[in-house]
Amino acid sequence: MKIKELVEPLRVVKRFVVYTAIAGMGAAGLNLTRPVLLGNIFEGFVKGDSYGSVMLLIILFALSWCATWGLSLLLGYLSTKVKERILARLRTAVLSHLMRLPYAQSEQLPTGKIQAYITSDLPLWSNLYGMILVQIVHSAAQLIGAVVTLLNVNSKLMIILVPFLAISAVIPLIFSRSMIRIHRFAQDAISDTLEKSQCIIHGCRDIISLNIEKWCLKRCTEAFIKSENAEIKRSMAQGTVQVIGAFAENAAYIVVLLIGGWSVFKDSMSVGHLVSFLATIQLIFFPSRNAGDLASAIQSSLAAANRVQEFLSLKPMNEKYTLRTHIEIKNLSYTYPNERKKALDSISCEINQGYFVVILGESGSGKSTLLKIIAGLYEPTEGEMITTGPNIGLPSAVWQDPFLLNASVFDNLALGRDVSERQMKDMAQKLNLDRLIAEMPNQYDTFLLENGRNLSGGQRQRIAIIRSLISSKKCIVIDEPTAGLDMENARKVWDAILDMNKDVTRIVTTHQLDKTHEYADLILVLQEGKLIEYGPPQELLRMNGFFKKLMKR
């Protein structure tokens, strides 16, 4: 990952970063005062200094702790502020990028991986700008201060510490590449675990109905074992680095005790200086001791950042899709990724503003694929779709399995638009939903579960159709609007579509026919991805072809 990409998020919190750095250096300075004060206190007791002078040193020692605790709280606040503000921006960037990708590409991405970015990878990445940044500043300031202090106390002992410090600091650097790979493997395993778990959570009904619980649990167990092995590998690698660092620190203590104790015994070093030196060793080894944990945290953050950057590097759509009043489709073909057979093959037709267009065909004939191209979700792999005339913006779309938010009925219908409740009630009455909403505990303020799980499939479908019909869009595309509806509600849906303003282009797909289709301006009949009939219904009826056979049936 490039340095520029790592530093970029800090631009939005520059002020807080400066405050954090100052507070971190202040905390490091306070830490360095205590070993010196502790050494002077011992020296005062040994020499028999006055009670008042020793008490003053003890009070200063206590005040140093109090000031450190206060700075620690301030550092916690500042670092959390920086991390959470950057985390919010990174999450927004990932979700925004997901919506700017070509839909054919984004729908191929595993949902577990996207969730892992949001819930796991981005918090790890943003840690770089929170406590990790604080620890880096704090450790650097403390290391410099401790080296200066120890050189003033006893330069010979300080030189003896250098090899131990080098071992403690260099080991994490040597293993850094391996640790990044280990962290990457562990995070991929977490992503796979989320993906497999989601299959059971969202598909619980079908899994129970098909009696495949053991098979699904086996798939999940394999993912859990993979995650377990990855975590064990990560834990053992981190533990090994920590043990090496702890060995170097304790070896340094023993050597200083031996040499320093002998110096005290020979009167070439005072007890106070030895105490100060031993207390400062803890501070000078804190950065190197912390280097293992810090390196592990940095490597984990970098591995997460690399994963997210790979996703963010996916090329978005060249320009935002918009529709115009006249649509001309020329020799359009579409092949799904990793497929050989064309889902659509050489489709050509024209659609004018205000047309009521019905796309007919059996399941798998390519109806939904063509609708997704018209809606701007897919781009043709061959041929083109040319739109001319005044710009009417994005079409409003309703798909076979519409998604409802875990929000109120009103919010699901309005979707943030300025829509009156009266307008909603009129449309709900047209689609036979007014009685259902009236019987809800809080009517339009009733909270729907995620994806409308407290509604039937037909009720979800009609709510999605209502929010599309009141969207004030000049083009509406609806995929199988009456799928799963009884005859009465299906008739109401068709009536609502027909009653729309005549300047609104309505394009619907269906494999169910009734007399409504005689009111269509244009019929497109698809079979195995090919357009076999195309024209007004009256013209197709005279052709005595597929459409006429369907109408007779």
Side-chain angles (χ1 to χ4, degrees):
M1 189 175 180
K2 296 178 181 177
I3 298 295
K4 182 181 178 182
E5 293 171 342
L6 280 175
V7 175
E8 182 67 29
L10 289 174
R11 292 185 179 182
V12 299
V13 287
K14 288 183 288 189
R15 183 162 48 93
F16 286 107
V17 171
V18 172
Y19 295 159
T20 303
I22 292 171
M25 289 186 285
L30 286 170
N31 285 340
L32 290 168
T33 62
R34 288 192 294 278
V36 176
L37 288 169
L38 191 63
N40 288 334
I41 290 168
F42 271 88
E43 192 74 18
F45 283 134
V46 170
K47 290 183 177 180
D49 289 348
S50 65
Y51 178 76
S53 61
V54 173
M55 281 302 299
L56 178 61
L57 292 173
I58 292 173
I59 290 169
L60 290 173
F61 186 80
L63 288 174
S64 175
W65 272 115
C66 292
T68 301
W69 293 332
L71 270 178
S72 295
L73 288 174
L74 178 61
L75 276 171
Y77 167 77
L78 290 171
S79 62
T80 304
K81 186 86 172 177
V82 169
K83 176 196 168 182
E84 291 302 319
R85 185 164 291 186
I86 289 176
L87 178 58
R89 291 181 67 89
L90 289 175
R91 282 173 167 163
T92 301
V94 166
L95 294 175
S96 175
H97 190 70
L98 176 65
M99 289 185 284
R100 288 188 292 114
L101 290 176
Y103 181 72
Q105 184 178 18
S106 65
E107 70 177 342
Q108 299 293 320
L109 296 170
T111 54
K113 182 172 283 190
I114 302 299
Q115 285 196 339
Y117 294 151
I118 299 295
T119 60
S120 175
D121 290 333
L122 289 180
L124 282 172
W125 182 5
S126 62
N127 273 340
L128 276 175
Y129 315 109
M131 285 309 299
I132 291 178
L133 181 62
V134 170
Q135 289 175 5
I136 291 172
V137 172
H138 181 81
S139 298
Q142 190 161 292
L143 178 64
I144 295 168
V147 168
V148 173
T149 302
L150 290 179
L151 284 172
N152 286 328
V153 173
N154 193 306
S155 58
K156 290 181 180 179
L157 283 178
M158 176 61 219
I159 293 170
I160 292 170
L161 287 180
V162 171
F164 300 101
L165 282 168
I167 292 171
S168 182
V170 168
I171 291 299
L173 297 176
I174 293 174
F175 290 104
S176 61
R177 287 183 178 273
S178 298
M179 288 298 296
I180 288 175
R181 285 196 297 269
I182 290 169
H183 284 299
R184 176 69 183 266
F185 177 70
Q187 284 160 245
D188 285 338
I190 291 171
S191 174
D192 191 42
T193 297
L194 282 171
E195 188 71 27
K196 297 294 193 304
S197 301
Q198 273 194 336
C199 287
I200 289 184
I201 294 168
H202 294 302
C204 193
R205 180 197 61 189
D206 294 316
I207 290 169
I208 295 170
S209 302
L210 295 169
N211 195 26
I212 55 171
E213 295 96 323
K214 289 184 179 179
W215 178 73
C216 290
L217 287 172
K218 182 183 176 182
R219 291 178 75 241
C220 277
T221 302
E222 290 171 355
F224 297 157
I225 291 171
K226 180 182 176 183
S227 180
E228 174 191 335
N229 292 334
E231 284 299 326
I232 289 171
K233 190 174 182 180
R234 175 157 63 178
S235 177
M236 291 305 296
Q238 289 175 349
T240 301
V241 173
Q242 289 170 351
V243 166
I244 294 172
F247 173 80
E249 183 177 354
N250 283 287
Y253 266 110
I254 292 169
V255 170
V256 168
L257 276 171
L258 288 171
I259 298 175
W262 181 255
S263 298
V264 171
F265 183 74
K266 291 291 187 179
D267 288 332
S268 60
M269 186 178 186
S270 68
V271 173
H273 281 173
L274 179 60
V275 170
S276 293
F277 199 96
L278 288 170
T280 309
I281 285 178
Q282 182 184 6
L283 297 181
I284 200 173
F285 267 96
F286 170 78
S288 57
R289 182 191 337 120
N290 198 38
D293 294 334
L294 197 56
S296 176
I298 292 172
Q299 289 151 2
S300 180
S301 294
L302 289 176
N306 282 326
R307 276 166 52 87
V308 177
Q309 278 297 333
E310 283 179 10
F311 167 73
L312 292 175
S313 66
L314 296 176
K315 189 176 179 181
M317 289 184 288
N318 293 328
E319 56 184 42
K320 194 171 180 64
Y321 177 78
T322 57
L323 199 61
R324 298 183 183 276
T325 53
H326 180 79
I327 303 169
E328 184 179 2
I329 296 172
K330 290 185 175 181
N331 297 317
L332 184 146
S333 298
Y334 185 80
T335 306
Y336 281 94
N338 304 317
E339 295 285 340
R340 291 184 178 179
K341 185 180 178 182
K342 292 181 179 180
L344 294 174
D345 189 0
S346 302
I347 305 292
S348 295
C349 63
E350 290 188 45
I351 300 171
N352 290 320
Q353 183 181 8
Y355 268 21
F356 172 34
V357 182
V358 178
I359 305 173
L360 295 172
E362 297 175 349
S363 296
S365 61
K367 304 187 306 295
S368 297
T369 304
L370 180 56
L371 207 64
K372 286 175 181 175
I373 290 175
I374 294 172
L377 296 181
Y378 291 170
E379 292 183 359
T381 49
E382 295 177 39
E384 57 186 341
M385 186 177 76
I386 304 168
T387 62
T388 55
N391 190 338
I392 57 174
L394 286 169
S396 178
V398 180
W399 306 107
Q400 281 193 56
D401 187 17
F403 184 81
L404 301 185
L405 304 170
N406 51 336
S408 68
V409 174
F410 182 90
D411 286 338
N412 270 284
L413 292 172
L415 298 179
R417 296 185 294 253
D418 185 16
V419 180
S420 68
E421 191 169 322
R422 179 72 264 162
Q423 193 177 356
M424 285 185 187
K425 287 180 178 179
D426 290 343
M427 194 58 70
Q429 188 174 9
K430 282 185 179 181
L431 269 71
N432 205 22
L433 270 176
D434 52 329
R435 187 181 304 171
L436 170 71
I437 297 173
E439 291 173 354
M440 289 180 171
N442 299 309
Q443 298 184 359
Y444 282 89
D445 291 327
T446 301
F447 195 82
L448 299 182
L449 299 179
E450 183 182 354
N451 207 15
R453 285 186 286 115
N454 48 342
L455 299 175
S456 71
Q459 290 165 349
R460 289 200 303 270
Q461 182 80 352
R462 280 179 285 159
I463 283 179
I465 291 172
I466 289 173
R467 72 187 182 191
S468 184
L469 295 179
I470 62 178
S471 65
S472 300
K473 293 286 188 177
K474 293 296 183 182
C475 180
I476 293 177
V477 296
I478 309 178
D479 194 14
E480 299 284 359
T482 58
L485 299 182
D486 56 62
M487 290 181 65
E488 180 188 354
N489 285 317
R491 168 55 52 194
K492 288 182 177 292
V493 167
W494 284 122
D495 288 344
I497 294 172
L498 287 170
D499 287 344
M500 294 192 68
N501 292 333
K502 299 307 177 185
D503 64 338
V504 176
T505 305
R506 294 146 290 166
I507 307 172
V508 299
T509 68
T510 183
H511 62 278
Q512 298 172 337
L513 277 177
D514 61 21
K515 289 292 183 181
T516 302
H517 302 96
E518 293 183 4
Y519 298 103
D521 297 292
L522 198 61
I523 299 284
L524 279 68
V525 183
L526 296 179
Q527 189 175 64
E528 296 184 354
K530 294 181 180 293
L531 183 62
I532 59 171
E533 292 181 22
Y534 157 57
Q538 297 79 10
E539 183 180 316
L540 296 186
L541 286 171
R542 289 194 297 270
M543 290 171 59
N544 199 27
F546 190 83
F547 176 70
K548 186 171 183 178
K549 291 177 184 178
L550 286 176
M551 291 297 287
K552 285 181 178 180
R553 201 185 302 169

